[in-house]
Amino acid sequence: MELRHLRHFLAVADELHMGRAAELLGMAQPPLSQSIGRLEKELGVQLFGRANRRLTLTRAGAAFIDEARASVAHADSALAVARAAGNGEAGVVRIGFVSAALYERLPRLLSQMKEVYPNIHPTLIELSTNEQLHALTRGTIDIGFAHPPLGTIEPLTVLQFPPEHSVAVLPDDGQTGGVTLAQVAALGLILFPVAQGPVLHAQILDSFTKAGLDVRVTQEATRALTMLSLVSAGLGAALLPSSIRRLAFAGVRYAEITDAVLPTLSVTLITRRRSQSPIVRSVWRQFAADGG
């Protein structure tokens, strides 16, 4: 059963007039009549009554019409999705992200992407920067939100978003206002493992050394929510990007550091430089345009 035969049947069923249906379809009447005849022969039933030169739907035709409409609608929908995917407007995009992207930038960009490309569906995977680099190489993610610097030989396309300054995350002591770097050092530092970001790790510790402070890393954690939990338990202080303030977390308070400038924390958009699918190119362009 060919799709065009179903379209012909629906046109005739709607008009109940072969000439008007042929005109709507942009074809001559004889080929339309032949198409209906072939469909009836294939189905083994008569779809139209033709008494007194007037067309009427038979009982079989009336029963068939809803299924025919559904089949045509489904085929049209599948065709539209296929064309949209080919144009980079539909499909799945796999996105890796570090915790810092969650507080503000990633939700905003995903919301904007949904407005522009409602048929592109993101699959989100929280990964460290190094894990994202490996995933890009293996082809298990398409785009990443990572922390620079990026230690990889994989040719990447990179877009760096504006950096954020660091704030201290402290056990909630009922105080307000800023803190000194010495106060942070006195609490001990909850920090990510060195392998997760060796350059930034060294820069943070060097900030204490330059201030003449010894700081002890009391706990290591790979995710920001884990750090917040450890801080709330009184196990130390953490340094996180300022957008973390968007998260209200019981048992912690956020404070500006008043006597030192710590390394800024950046999030970088990354993808492989080699050829990408149209969907990935569309999402990258959207993120790059709205990411400022």
Side-chain angles (χ1 to χ4, degrees):
M1 187 182 305
E2 296 184 28
L3 188 62
R4 63 188 177 94
H5 292 156
L6 296 181
R7 296 188 191 279
H8 295 167
F9 163 73
L10 291 173
V12 176
D14 288 340
E15 295 297 323
L16 291 178
H17 190 281
M18 200 68 70
R20 289 196 298 269
E23 185 177 352
L24 286 173
L25 291 167
M27 60 188 299
Q29 183 173 329
L32 177 58
S33 298
Q34 294 168 9
S35 176
I36 297 299
R38 282 192 292 270
L39 180 59
E40 289 178 322
K41 183 177 180 181
E42 184 174 355
L43 293 174
V45 295
Q46 190 174 353
L47 298 172
F48 295 99
R50 297 168 175 81
N52 300 320
R53 302 182 63 182
R54 294 184 60 186
L55 287 180
T56 58
L57 277 170
T58 63
R59 183 174 298 177
F64 184 61
I65 192 168
D66 287 341
E67 294 300 326
R69 287 195 199 282
S71 297
V72 170
H74 185 73
D76 288 344
S77 177
L79 180 61
V81 169
R83 286 175 174 169
N87 294 330
E89 298 176 357
V92 174
V93 61
R94 301 161 300 171
I95 300 172
F97 65 92
V98 293
S99 299
L102 276 178
Y103 314 140
E104 179 180 5
R105 192 172 304 280
L106 182 56
R108 175 169 59 84
L109 291 177
L110 290 175
S111 177
Q112 291 165 343
M113 185 191 79
K114 186 177 180 180
E115 290 183 10
V116 178
Y117 297 114
N119 293 316
I120 292 181
H121 305 291
T123 297
L124 302 175
I125 311 167
E126 186 171 4
L127 299 168
S128 70
T129 293
N130 287 344
E131 288 170 339
Q132 288 185 51
L133 296 175
H134 292 315
L136 282 172
T137 299
R138 294 193 305 268
T140 54
I141 66 170
D142 302 305
I143 291 174
F145 288 77
H147 288 305
L150 306 168
T152 179
I153 60 173
E154 172 83 17
L156 298 176
T157 300
V158 177
L159 174 68
Q160 185 161 321
F161 298 124
E164 296 184 61
H165 71 279
S166 301
V167 296
V169 186
L170 312 168
D172 189 2
D173 52 10
Q175 302 296 312
T176 59
V179 296
T180 65
L181 203 59
Q183 289 174 293
V184 174
L187 291 168
L189 197 59
I190 297 169
L191 192 59
F192 54 87
V194 64
Q196 188 171 324
V199 174
L200 182 58
H201 190 282
Q203 289 174 340
I204 291 172
L205 294 182
D206 191 51
S207 298
F208 289 89
T209 302
K210 287 180 178 178
L213 299 169
D214 291 325
V215 64
R216 181 171 58 94
V217 176
T218 60
Q219 297 286 332
E220 289 188 340
T222 60
R223 301 290 188 260
L225 284 177
T226 305
M227 292 183 179
L228 292 175
S229 295
L230 295 174
V231 171
S232 71
L235 299 181
L239 300 171
L240 291 171
S242 57
S243 57
I244 191 70
R245 294 176 182 273
R246 289 177 171 267
L247 297 183
F249 200 94
V252 308
R253 75 177 181 98
Y254 305 118
E256 296 290 337
I257 298 169
T258 59
D259 63 345
V261 177
L262 293 178
T264 56
L265 301 174
S266 299
V267 172
T268 298
L269 191 65
I270 57 176
T271 190
R272 287 169 295 183
R273 192 176 299 169
R274 55 183 180 231
S275 60
Q276 295 284 5
S277 70
I279 295 170
V280 175
R281 290 197 296 269
S282 294
V283 173
W284 178 272
R285 286 194 298 267
Q286 183 67 33
F287 283 172
D290 294 334

